[in-house]
Amino acid sequence: MNFAEILKTLRQKNNLTQIELAQHTNLARSTIAGYEKKYRQPPYETLIMLADFFHVSIDYLLTGRESVYTASDQTWATIDGVHHIT
C-alpha cells in the first residue's frame, strides 16, 4: 500500500468524509482529495499531524507497516493492520 491508499483507508475505517477529516486537521478538502488521488504529497509537518491524528507512526502512513523492537529476544517484528481512532 502507498500513502494515498493508507490515508483513504484510515479515513474510511474511522467513518470520516474528506470534509470531516479536513475540518479536524485544518486542511482543505481538496488537499485531502489530492493526497488520496496521488496528485499531492504532504510536507513533513502534515505527515506528523496526520500520524498524530490517527494514532499511527509516520512509518505506518508511508508503508502500511510498523516495526517493533523486542528487547527480550533482540528482534524486529512488523505489525500490519488498520488503526482506528478512539
Side-chain angles (χ1 to χ4, degrees):
M1 286 178 75
N2 58 49
F3 171 73
E5 295 168 330
I6 293 164
L7 178 61
K8 186 173 183 177
T9 299
L10 283 169
R11 179 180 60 74
Q12 291 175 335
K13 292 288 185 178
N14 287 284
N15 298 311
L16 295 168
T17 64
Q18 288 181 347
I19 292 170
E20 291 169 331
L21 180 57
Q23 290 170 341
H24 286 293
T25 58
N26 293 318
L27 297 170
R29 189 215 54 84
S30 60
T31 299
I32 302 294
Y35 295 158
E36 291 184 3
K37 296 289 184 185
K38 300 184 190 177
Y39 298 137
R40 301 181 73 158
Q41 291 296 314
Y44 296 120
E45 296 82 6
T46 302
L47 282 173
I48 293 167
M49 182 264 302
L50 288 169
D52 287 346
F53 180 79
F54 286 113
H55 304 285
V56 298
S57 69
I58 293 173
D59 284 349
Y60 183 83
L61 276 180
L62 296 176
T63 67
R65 296 183 311 268
E66 292 196 50
S67 296
V68 178
Y69 182 74
T70 306
S72 61
D73 61 6
Q74 299 181 348
T75 61
W76 286 91
T78 300
I79 300 171
D80 294 318
V82 174
H83 293 260
H84 300 270
I85 57 175
T86 56

